[in-house]
Amino acid sequence: MDRPASIAPHSDPELHAFVRSTPPFDRLPEDVLDALCLRMARIRLAAGKTLFEKAELGDAMYLVISGRLRASGGSEGAAPVDPVDIGARELVGEMQILIGGRRTATVRAIVDTELARLEKSAL
């Protein structure tokens, strides 16, 4: 499977300002926000490419900077779930890195999308 390529895994003032203005990050103390932003990497995902597949281990969470993703698949054993679109300033994949476990949906870009990636190890 094609994986997105990292763009900037270092200090990025534009990314910092974007993250600072996005809930839930907007409530963090500045020093905590600084530390998280230093560990974030910008990635680009072309339309049609997969960010992650259902049942993969959650290794990172993502903040959509621009573009749009679609999550499909839903939880195991549950009734089918309609696809959910995820847009700018929304998080995706955060539950699996906070509580552990496997991805509950496959997430693909429906248009060219830019994201900020934060690996589980950074938390």
Side-chain angles (χ1 to χ4, degrees):
M1 173 186 351
D2 292 333
R3 289 287 184 202
S6 181
I7 296 173
H10 58 286
S11 181
D12 180 338
E14 185 180 298
L15 177 63
H16 188 280
F18 181 83
V19 173
R20 162 52 73 209
S21 68
T22 303
F25 302 105
D26 60 344
R27 294 185 294 266
L28 293 176
E30 195 65 30
D31 60 332
V32 173
L33 182 72
D34 289 344
L36 284 176
C37 286
L38 284 172
R39 291 168 177 82
M40 288 182 168
R42 283 184 185 225
I43 59 171
R44 289 195 178 125
L45 193 62
K49 296 292 184 181
T50 300
L51 182 61
F52 54 76
E53 296 274 353
K54 181 177 179 174
E56 286 181 3
L57 283 174
D59 62 346
M61 66 182 235
Y62 302 86
L63 172 62
V64 179
I65 297 171
S66 64
R68 199 159 219 44
L69 303 170
R70 180 163 291 147
S72 58
S75 299
E76 272 311 307
V81 177
D82 290 333
V84 175
D85 285 0
I86 303 155
R89 299 193 185 279
E90 292 187 81
L91 292 171
V92 63
E94 72 281 8
M95 292 309 294
Q96 288 76 34
I97 67 163
L98 295 174
I99 62 172
R102 297 190 176 273
R103 304 290 189 188
T104 58
T106 295
V107 176
R108 291 185 176 87
I110 54 176
V111 298
D112 290 348
T113 302
E114 186 175 7
L115 305 114
R117 176 189 165 119
L118 182 63
E119 293 190 22
K120 183 177 184 174
S121 62
L123 295 177

